Amino acid sequence: MDRVYLTFLFLISLLFRSGLAQPVKTAGFPDSINTYLPDIEPKAKLQQLKDDLWSAQLQHNKIEIGEISYRLGKFYQGVSQYLPARYWFLQSVRIREPLGPSADLVKLYIQLSSNYGIVSMQTRSLWYAQQALKTARLMRAPDSTHSRMSAYMVMGNLHASACQQGHTKASRAPVLHPLNSNNASVVLQKVVIDRIPCDSAFYYYKLALQQARLLNEPDEVSGITVDLGALWARINIQRAIPYYQAALANYISSQRPTQTVSTRLLLADCYLTLHKPLLARRFLEDAKQGYQTAHLNSPTLERRLASGYDEFYRQTGDYQKAYTYQKQVYEWKLAALNTDRNGAITRLGLEYETEKREAKLKSQQQALILSTEKLSAEQNLRNALLGGLGIAVGVGVALYRLYQINRRISRQNAQLVTEQNHRVKNNLQAISDLLTLQSFQLTDVTTKKVISGIQHRIQSIELLHKRLYDNPQQALAVKLNVYISELVIRILETYGLETIEPIYTINDVWLSADQTLPFGLILSEIVTNACKYAFVGHSAPQLIIRLECVGTTIQLVVHDNGPGFLLSDDELTTYGLKLVKMQVQQLKGYYTIINQNGTQFKLTFSLPKL
């Protein structure tokens, strides 16, 4: 049987060397062998592998054919040609499986597990990983320890990718999978795999760590320790830190600059997650210095370093530097997104080509009973599908570009509004400070009171812009419960009444900047009057502020426990009440003043219609 198989491969190789290869059925694949030997760069290396395969077939060297098939699989997998890679790995498995457990067979199973995992065929990937582990455990050769370590690592990685933070939803997915590659036509059987919780990943990682220590390979020990830390980081970030620290010590002692920088960045990420920026800073600076000292050239490490500094400066409040690093990270992410998109298009093209070949096989099997007209219709349909796919990709790219442009414009507008609020706030603060300095030089009490009133009104406007600046996500609206409490406290402190604790009953209401300005002036005027006339000489002053929102109607009530006052004709014409009346008209509302256990001011107005 083996001699017949070798002769068969020899004839196939002869055909593709002469450029006359015809479709053949090999190990269940539906196209000619040339389909699985595409010409790609580097062509010199590929041609050498083809020549080696030709030579091994001429010599009927079964072992050498298996080795070259494995090398062809690794070559194509390395250049992201996963379908040809899988084909040659399976050819190598078909030769090596009858020879019994070996390190080479374990490597093949691991490569096939990786191949299926890359194209998101997780159940097949897990099946081959289990085959690798089973084969490694059956080995008795001296190199079995390394094979077991590799198999444990693959199992750990698969379970780690399947588990979630402390729990996993059980799911079953029956799939068709090749179980016996010793036959020319692959036997298919249903395999049901459960998703595994994180403790299974811990189990396999720890077994891999034991094997690495038996081999006395520090780099392998450090790599597995990092994987354990990454797994703990999903569940308890605090417990991940000792693993990263242990791996870092090993990498430093073995002088591995790339791994040292990477592990320091992992530790920095841990401390930033725990909101300990000062501890994270040491690892960020060490990582940066190590990267520069070793003259490394790794875009991935540079992106991680910039992302770490972005988060560090965010937590320490240096938003200017954070913005600089965030911009770098955004540019890298955009480049990575483009790369991923191109890779996704390539993978879709590969899957499409695979489906097209299978459809071609079916059409050949039905060629005797199908008419030429039906075959032509299928070809037209295929062209229509290709055209539709091209249109869909073009529309998708256009929409994506429009989305990016809109995001950039929105971000720029938000920055402009925030900067405007900041500058207005600073200008108002400067005006208030100038008035304060001027009041120190005045001797007339009445004039000082007038300036003090002006300052309170300026403070209400300045506080409005401060709220807008401090909340860039809502650069055109203010949360009233925070604004009211800050404004009232400022006025009470001005009159030396900071011991009064106002009683607030305020709904969670957002008010636009256009309405908050007159609202703040009214509130400032009413509270100032209470401080000047209601609380002077009072033994137990009390201030109650209520804000209710029912539908689109807002009602503000300010109530003090002072002696109250009667509104004479002269008082109705004071500047303060004139200002209140003007601002109420601007809000398109109305107000009432009642003497009842003190003075009660009630303002009612409506939110603008959207």
Side-chain angles (χ1 to χ4, degrees), residues 309-327 415 469-470 472-473:
Y309 272 112
D310 174 27
E311 182 62 24
F312 167 77
Y313 285 119
R314 283 174 181 270
Q315 293 187 16
T316 54
D318 193 342
Y319 295 106
Q320 185 65 36
K321 291 184 178 179
Y323 172 76
T324 301
Y325 283 103
Q326 184 187 41
K327 186 176 180 182
Q415 290 173 354
Y469 174 71
D470 290 343
Q473 288 78 17

mmCIF file of all heavy atoms in Angstrom, residues 309-327 415 469-470 472-473:
data_model
loop_
_atom_site.group_PDB
_atom_site.id
_atom_site.type_symbol
_atom_site.label_atom_id
_atom_site.label_comp_id
_atom_site.label_asym_id
_atom_site.label_seq_id
_atom_site.Cartn_x
_atom_site.Cartn_y
_atom_site.Cartn_z
ATOM 1 N N TYR A 309 1.574 55.013 28.916
ATOM 2 C CA TYR A 309 1.765 56.410 29.311
ATOM 3 C C TYR A 309 0.472 57.208 29.159
ATOM 4 O O TYR A 309 0.209 58.125 29.957
ATOM 5 C CB TYR A 309 2.862 57.040 28.455
ATOM 6 C CG TYR A 309 4.239 56.854 29.037
ATOM 7 C CD1 TYR A 309 5.183 56.046 28.413
ATOM 8 C CD2 TYR A 309 4.593 57.476 30.227
ATOM 9 C CE1 TYR A 309 6.446 55.871 28.957
ATOM 10 C CE2 TYR A 309 5.845 57.309 30.788
ATOM 11 C CZ TYR A 309 6.781 56.507 30.140
ATOM 12 O OH TYR A 309 8.020 56.344 30.685
ATOM 13 N N ASP A 310 -0.340 56.896 28.169
ATOM 14 C CA ASP A 310 -1.633 57.566 28.008
ATOM 15 C C ASP A 310 -2.485 57.382 29.270
ATOM 16 O O ASP A 310 -3.002 58.349 29.841
ATOM 17 C CB ASP A 310 -2.337 56.989 26.780
ATOM 18 C CG ASP A 310 -3.747 57.519 26.632
ATOM 19 O OD1 ASP A 310 -4.036 58.635 27.102
ATOM 20 O OD2 ASP A 310 -4.590 56.811 26.044
ATOM 21 N N GLU A 311 -2.623 56.137 29.721
ATOM 22 C CA GLU A 311 -3.423 55.866 30.912
ATOM 23 C C GLU A 311 -2.790 56.470 32.164
ATOM 24 O O GLU A 311 -3.488 56.989 33.045
ATOM 25 C CB GLU A 311 -3.600 54.353 31.080
ATOM 26 C CG GLU A 311 -4.466 53.952 32.262
ATOM 27 C CD GLU A 311 -5.884 54.477 32.147
ATOM 28 O OE1 GLU A 311 -6.332 54.733 31.012
ATOM 29 O OE2 GLU A 311 -6.526 54.666 33.199
ATOM 30 N N PHE A 312 -1.449 56.446 32.244
ATOM 31 C CA PHE A 312 -0.766 57.012 33.410
ATOM 32 C C PHE A 312 -1.046 58.511 33.534
ATOM 33 O O PHE A 312 -1.400 59.017 34.603
ATOM 34 C CB PHE A 312 0.743 56.763 33.293
ATOM 35 C CG PHE A 312 1.568 57.556 34.265
ATOM 36 C CD1 PHE A 312 1.650 57.172 35.594
ATOM 37 C CD2 PHE A 312 2.236 58.702 33.866
ATOM 38 C CE1 PHE A 312 2.399 57.901 36.500
ATOM 39 C CE2 PHE A 312 2.980 59.434 34.762
ATOM 40 C CZ PHE A 312 3.065 59.047 36.075
ATOM 41 N N TYR A 313 -0.898 59.224 32.432
ATOM 42 C CA TYR A 313 -1.121 60.658 32.502
ATOM 43 C C TYR A 313 -2.590 60.999 32.688
ATOM 44 O O TYR A 313 -2.928 62.051 33.255
ATOM 45 C CB TYR A 313 -0.573 61.339 31.237
ATOM 46 C CG TYR A 313 0.924 61.434 31.226
ATOM 47 C CD1 TYR A 313 1.673 60.807 30.229
ATOM 48 C CD2 TYR A 313 1.603 62.110 32.233
ATOM 49 C CE1 TYR A 313 3.057 60.883 30.222
ATOM 50 C CE2 TYR A 313 2.985 62.195 32.242
ATOM 51 C CZ TYR A 313 3.715 61.575 31.242
ATOM 52 O OH TYR A 313 5.073 61.649 31.254
ATOM 53 N N ARG A 314 -3.486 60.140 32.248
ATOM 54 C CA ARG A 314 -4.900 60.347 32.535
ATOM 55 C C ARG A 314 -5.155 60.277 34.050
ATOM 56 O O ARG A 314 -5.849 61.126 34.615
ATOM 57 C CB ARG A 314 -5.753 59.288 31.836
ATOM 58 C CG ARG A 314 -5.967 59.508 30.352
ATOM 59 C CD ARG A 314 -6.701 58.307 29.764
ATOM 60 N NE ARG A 314 -6.905 58.452 28.332
ATOM 61 C CZ ARG A 314 -7.972 59.018 27.795
ATOM 62 N NH1 ARG A 314 -8.922 59.502 28.566
ATOM 63 N NH2 ARG A 314 -8.098 59.100 26.488
ATOM 64 N N GLN A 315 -4.573 59.242 34.669
ATOM 65 C CA GLN A 315 -4.814 59.063 36.095
ATOM 66 C C GLN A 315 -4.126 60.127 36.938
ATOM 67 O O GLN A 315 -4.578 60.429 38.044
ATOM 68 C CB GLN A 315 -4.350 57.664 36.536
ATOM 69 C CG GLN A 315 -5.173 56.539 35.938
ATOM 70 C CD GLN A 315 -4.821 55.181 36.517
ATOM 71 O OE1 GLN A 315 -4.174 55.081 37.559
ATOM 72 N NE2 GLN A 315 -5.251 54.118 35.851
ATOM 73 N N THR A 316 -3.024 60.679 36.448
ATOM 74 C CA THR A 316 -2.322 61.717 37.209
ATOM 75 C C THR A 316 -2.808 63.122 36.840
ATOM 76 O O THR A 316 -2.320 64.097 37.397
ATOM 77 C CB THR A 316 -0.808 61.621 36.968
ATOM 78 O OG1 THR A 316 -0.538 61.666 35.557
ATOM 79 C CG2 THR A 316 -0.266 60.321 37.548
ATOM 80 N N GLY A 317 -3.753 63.230 35.911
ATOM 81 C CA GLY A 317 -4.351 64.517 35.598
ATOM 82 C C GLY A 317 -3.600 65.344 34.570
ATOM 83 O O GLY A 317 -3.986 66.486 34.307
ATOM 84 N N ASP A 318 -2.544 64.822 33.970
ATOM 85 C CA ASP A 318 -1.801 65.564 32.945
ATOM 86 C C ASP A 318 -2.412 65.225 31.584
ATOM 87 O O ASP A 318 -1.884 64.406 30.823
ATOM 88 C CB ASP A 318 -0.317 65.192 32.987
ATOM 89 C CG ASP A 318 0.533 66.161 32.165
ATOM 90 O OD1 ASP A 318 -0.031 66.882 31.322
ATOM 91 O OD2 ASP A 318 1.742 66.183 32.368
ATOM 92 N N TYR A 319 -3.526 65.870 31.273
ATOM 93 C CA TYR A 319 -4.279 65.485 30.092
ATOM 94 C C TYR A 319 -3.605 65.920 28.794
ATOM 95 O O TYR A 319 -3.859 65.350 27.736
ATOM 96 C CB TYR A 319 -5.691 66.072 30.163
ATOM 97 C CG TYR A 319 -6.493 65.515 31.301
ATOM 98 C CD1 TYR A 319 -6.746 66.278 32.438
ATOM 99 C CD2 TYR A 319 -6.973 64.209 31.254
ATOM 100 C CE1 TYR A 319 -7.468 65.753 33.495
ATOM 101 C CE2 TYR A 319 -7.689 63.678 32.317
ATOM 102 C CZ TYR A 319 -7.935 64.464 33.437
ATOM 103 O OH TYR A 319 -8.638 63.936 34.471
ATOM 104 N N GLN A 320 -2.731 66.922 28.858
ATOM 105 C CA GLN A 320 -2.031 67.347 27.644
ATOM 106 C C GLN A 320 -1.113 66.230 27.143
ATOM 107 O O GLN A 320 -1.120 65.874 25.956
ATOM 108 C CB GLN A 320 -1.233 68.629 27.936
ATOM 109 C CG GLN A 320 -0.570 69.223 26.696
ATOM 110 C CD GLN A 320 -1.583 69.701 25.670
ATOM 111 O OE1 GLN A 320 -2.639 70.205 26.033
ATOM 112 N NE2 GLN A 320 -1.291 69.530 24.398
ATOM 113 N N LYS A 321 -0.319 65.669 28.073
ATOM 114 C CA LYS A 321 0.561 64.557 27.681
ATOM 115 C C LYS A 321 -0.251 63.316 27.346
ATOM 116 O O LYS A 321 0.115 62.561 26.437
ATOM 117 C CB LYS A 321 1.547 64.265 28.811
ATOM 118 C CG LYS A 321 2.578 65.376 29.024
ATOM 119 C CD LYS A 321 3.587 64.989 30.098
ATOM 120 C CE LYS A 321 4.636 66.082 30.280
ATOM 121 N NZ LYS A 321 5.619 65.738 31.339
ATOM 122 N N ALA A 322 -1.328 63.103 28.097
ATOM 123 C CA ALA A 322 -2.176 61.945 27.792
ATOM 124 C C ALA A 322 -2.724 62.040 26.377
ATOM 125 O O ALA A 322 -2.788 61.049 25.651
ATOM 126 C CB ALA A 322 -3.319 61.849 28.801
ATOM 127 N N TYR A 323 -3.096 63.254 25.973
ATOM 128 C CA TYR A 323 -3.630 63.427 24.618
ATOM 129 C C TYR A 323 -2.573 63.119 23.570
ATOM 130 O O TYR A 323 -2.862 62.515 22.535
ATOM 131 C CB TYR A 323 -4.135 64.853 24.466
ATOM 132 C CG TYR A 323 -4.541 65.193 23.046
ATOM 133 C CD1 TYR A 323 -5.740 64.734 22.526
ATOM 134 C CD2 TYR A 323 -3.712 65.950 22.218
ATOM 135 C CE1 TYR A 323 -6.104 65.025 21.230
ATOM 136 C CE2 TYR A 323 -4.077 66.244 20.923
ATOM 137 C CZ TYR A 323 -5.266 65.783 20.440
ATOM 138 O OH TYR A 323 -5.638 66.065 19.156
ATOM 139 N N THR A 324 -1.323 63.519 23.846
ATOM 140 C CA THR A 324 -0.240 63.258 22.886
ATOM 141 C C THR A 324 -0.061 61.753 22.685
ATOM 142 O O THR A 324 0.027 61.269 21.553
ATOM 143 C CB THR A 324 1.069 63.876 23.400
ATOM 144 O OG1 THR A 324 0.880 65.290 23.562
ATOM 145 C CG2 THR A 324 2.197 63.638 22.408
ATOM 146 N N TYR A 325 -0.011 61.014 23.808
ATOM 147 C CA TYR A 325 0.166 59.565 23.677
ATOM 148 C C TYR A 325 -1.078 58.899 23.106
ATOM 149 O O TYR A 325 -0.981 57.919 22.345
ATOM 150 C CB TYR A 325 0.504 58.950 25.043
ATOM 151 C CG TYR A 325 1.935 59.186 25.462
ATOM 152 C CD1 TYR A 325 2.260 60.149 26.400
ATOM 153 C CD2 TYR A 325 2.965 58.441 24.896
ATOM 154 C CE1 TYR A 325 3.569 60.373 26.775
ATOM 155 C CE2 TYR A 325 4.293 58.663 25.267
ATOM 156 C CZ TYR A 325 4.587 59.630 26.203
ATOM 157 O OH TYR A 325 5.882 59.842 26.570
ATOM 158 N N GLN A 326 -2.260 59.419 23.469
ATOM 159 C CA GLN A 326 -3.479 58.843 22.931
ATOM 160 C C GLN A 326 -3.527 58.987 21.411
ATOM 161 O O GLN A 326 -3.987 58.094 20.702
ATOM 162 C CB GLN A 326 -4.692 59.516 23.564
ATOM 163 C CG GLN A 326 -6.030 58.898 23.132
ATOM 164 C CD GLN A 326 -7.197 59.691 23.628
ATOM 165 O OE1 GLN A 326 -7.174 60.913 23.603
ATOM 166 N NE2 GLN A 326 -8.226 59.012 24.085
ATOM 167 N N LYS A 327 -3.018 60.100 20.916
ATOM 168 C CA LYS A 327 -2.990 60.308 19.471
ATOM 169 C C LYS A 327 -2.106 59.273 18.792
ATOM 170 O O LYS A 327 -2.456 58.725 17.743
ATOM 171 C CB LYS A 327 -2.498 61.724 19.188
ATOM 172 C CG LYS A 327 -2.567 62.114 17.711
ATOM 173 C CD LYS A 327 -2.144 63.565 17.511
ATOM 174 C CE LYS A 327 -2.214 63.958 16.029
ATOM 175 N NZ LYS A 327 -1.771 65.348 15.822
ATOM 176 N N GLN A 415 -13.601 69.765 21.305
ATOM 177 C CA GLN A 415 -12.414 70.409 21.862
ATOM 178 C C GLN A 415 -12.523 71.931 21.804
ATOM 179 O O GLN A 415 -12.117 72.632 22.737
ATOM 180 C CB GLN A 415 -11.177 69.940 21.100
ATOM 181 C CG GLN A 415 -10.796 68.483 21.355
ATOM 182 C CD GLN A 415 -9.668 68.023 20.466
ATOM 183 O OE1 GLN A 415 -9.238 68.741 19.574
ATOM 184 N NE2 GLN A 415 -9.194 66.806 20.715
ATOM 185 N N TYR A 469 -16.668 73.163 31.428
ATOM 186 C CA TYR A 469 -15.284 72.777 31.105
ATOM 187 C C TYR A 469 -14.894 71.463 31.786
ATOM 188 O O TYR A 469 -14.206 70.631 31.207
ATOM 189 C CB TYR A 469 -14.338 73.887 31.538
ATOM 190 C CG TYR A 469 -12.875 73.535 31.375
ATOM 191 C CD1 TYR A 469 -12.311 73.446 30.100
ATOM 192 C CD2 TYR A 469 -12.076 73.264 32.473
ATOM 193 C CE1 TYR A 469 -10.991 73.102 29.932
ATOM 194 C CE2 TYR A 469 -10.751 72.917 32.317
ATOM 195 C CZ TYR A 469 -10.206 72.841 31.042
ATOM 196 O OH TYR A 469 -8.899 72.487 30.884
ATOM 197 N N ASP A 470 -15.368 71.278 33.036
ATOM 198 C CA ASP A 470 -14.991 70.063 33.778
ATOM 199 C C ASP A 470 -15.690 68.825 33.262
ATOM 200 O O ASP A 470 -15.329 67.711 33.636
ATOM 201 C CB ASP A 470 -15.322 70.230 35.272
ATOM 202 C CG ASP A 470 -14.400 71.244 35.943
ATOM 203 O OD1 ASP A 470 -13.348 71.532 35.343
ATOM 204 O OD2 ASP A 470 -14.735 71.740 37.026
ATOM 205 N N PRO A 472 -16.357 67.583 29.726
ATOM 206 C CA PRO A 472 -16.301 67.736 28.254
ATOM 207 C C PRO A 472 -17.278 66.835 27.521
ATOM 208 O O PRO A 472 -17.615 67.094 26.378
ATOM 209 C CB PRO A 472 -14.850 67.374 27.926
ATOM 210 C CG PRO A 472 -14.379 66.563 29.078
ATOM 211 C CD PRO A 472 -15.120 67.066 30.291
ATOM 212 N N GLN A 473 -17.778 65.739 28.173
ATOM 213 C CA GLN A 473 -18.737 64.873 27.493
ATOM 214 C C GLN A 473 -20.083 65.581 27.322
ATOM 215 O O GLN A 473 -20.860 65.251 26.442
ATOM 216 C CB GLN A 473 -18.947 63.564 28.270
ATOM 217 C CG GLN A 473 -17.776 62.602 28.197
ATOM 218 C CD GLN A 473 -16.649 62.992 29.109
ATOM 219 O OE1 GLN A 473 -16.835 63.787 30.012
ATOM 220 N NE2 GLN A 473 -15.461 62.447 28.877
#
